[in-house]
Amino acid sequence: MSHDPKVRPRVGDSPDGTVLTSAPGDTPVDRATAAARRVVDALLRTDRANANLDRVAEELDGIADHLEQHAPAVAERLVDMWHGEGVTRHDPVTGPENALAPPLVLTGRAEGSVDGVVTLTIPYQGPPGHVHGGVAAQLLDHTLGVANTWAGCNGPTAQLNVRYHRPTPLFVPLTVSGRMVSREGVKINSVGEIRTADGTLCVSVEGLFIDKTVARPR
């Protein structure tokens, strides 16, 4: 497997399609990461005047000290991350082991597209009550990469053309989807979008990727 952040292993089949990324499970690391997401969200929502944030900071520092004491060297950890399903468990979009990720679980469809549903909260806010445009672009970039892999391609992003049709709301289910539309030599062209549950289009994207599996002319 190529060490490319867009590579996704086959994770499992469901009646509705093939799950391409690792869903959160009932494991210590997944539970700890979910708790960390709760902390980030709660810190943004808490009453600054009445919450005992000095005590919170002390306890969080203690937790960080404990985790750092058990952390291997960075180079060793990076290698470990790429084994098996690790490729889908640590990234900032789909990774259940990454507190920065929502996380988004993506499923491959028989006709070649991929999609997933995610609800974003305050940590992903840009305009009041809405998703930051950079977060929307990140979700789509990653989803297109997974769609390319589902279609049999593998390569990094060269260009994204993102169109924001309307503000993307927080606190509601959002469907993020993508598919590869063409491949010409090393160039992969893909499209994607983010819609609300009622089908309202919020963001669309056209992406150009460079296929690492195709030899370039010398």
Side-chain angles (χ1 to χ4, degrees), residues 28-44 60 63 67 96-102 123-124:
V29 65
D30 286 9
R31 293 196 301 271
T33 306
R37 291 191 190 99
R38 285 188 60 200
V39 169
V40 172
D41 186 85
L43 276 171
L44 287 168
L60 290 176
I63 293 171
L67 294 173
E97 295 183 16
N98 189 334
L100 300 179
Y124 305 99

Side-chain angles (χ1 to χ4, degrees), residues 1-11 20-22 79-91 149-150 153-155 212-213:
M1 179 180 295
S2 172
H3 283 192
D4 186 282
K6 298 298 187 299
V7 177
R8 291 294 177 269
R10 185 186 184 93
V11 175
L20 303 176
T21 60
S22 297
V79 171
D80 180 62
M81 282 179 169
W82 288 100
H83 285 297
E85 289 185 17
V87 67
T88 74
R89 294 191 64 81
H90 73 264
D91 70 69
T149 301
W150 180 235
C153 305
N154 171 22
K212 294 174 62 177
T213 66

Side-chain angles (χ1 to χ4, degrees), residues 20-214:
L20 303 176
T21 60
S22 297
D26 187 22
T27 64
V29 65
D30 286 9
R31 293 196 301 271
T33 306
R37 291 191 190 99
R38 285 188 60 200
V39 169
V40 172
D41 186 85
L43 276 171
L44 287 168
R45 292 186 292 107
T46 195
D47 184 340
R48 266 75 173 143
N50 294 318
N52 188 347
L53 295 179
D54 284 332
R55 182 176 66 84
V56 170
E58 182 179 351
E59 292 186 5
L60 290 176
D61 277 335
I63 293 171
D65 290 341
H66 171 77
L67 294 173
E68 288 171 354
Q69 288 171 6
H70 294 82
V74 172
E76 180 182 345
R77 181 69 184 113
L78 288 177
V79 171
D80 180 62
M81 282 179 169
W82 288 100
H83 285 297
E85 289 185 17
V87 67
T88 74
R89 294 191 64 81
H90 73 264
D91 70 69
V93 173
T94 66
E97 295 183 16
N98 189 334
L100 300 179
L104 172 65
V105 178
L106 291 168
T107 299
R109 307 301 176 181
E111 87 285 358
S113 68
V114 306
D115 62 74
V117 177
V118 67
T119 299
L120 301 175
T121 56
I122 287 180
Y124 305 99
Q125 181 174 239
H130 295 88
V131 179
H132 192 290
V135 171
Q138 181 184 38
L139 291 175
L140 285 167
D141 174 47
H142 196 85
T143 298
L144 294 191
V146 175
N148 292 341
T149 301
W150 180 235
C153 305
N154 171 22
T157 310
Q159 182 176 321
L160 285 179
N161 295 322
V162 183
R163 181 179 178 188
Y164 298 95
H165 299 265
R166 54 185 48 80
T168 304
L170 296 172
F171 312 115
V172 299
L174 301 169
T175 297
V176 186
S177 62
R179 60 186 175 89
M180 189 195 78
V181 294
S182 67
R183 179 169 56 181
E184 303 171 4
V186 298
K187 295 182 178 180
I188 306 165
N189 295 289
S190 306
V191 297
E193 58 188 29
I194 298 175
R195 292 181 180 267
T196 58
D198 64 3
T200 300
L201 178 62
C202 298
V203 188
S204 62
V205 66
E206 297 177 347
L208 171 64
F209 299 78
I210 305 302
D211 193 342
K212 294 174 62 177
T213 66
V214 176

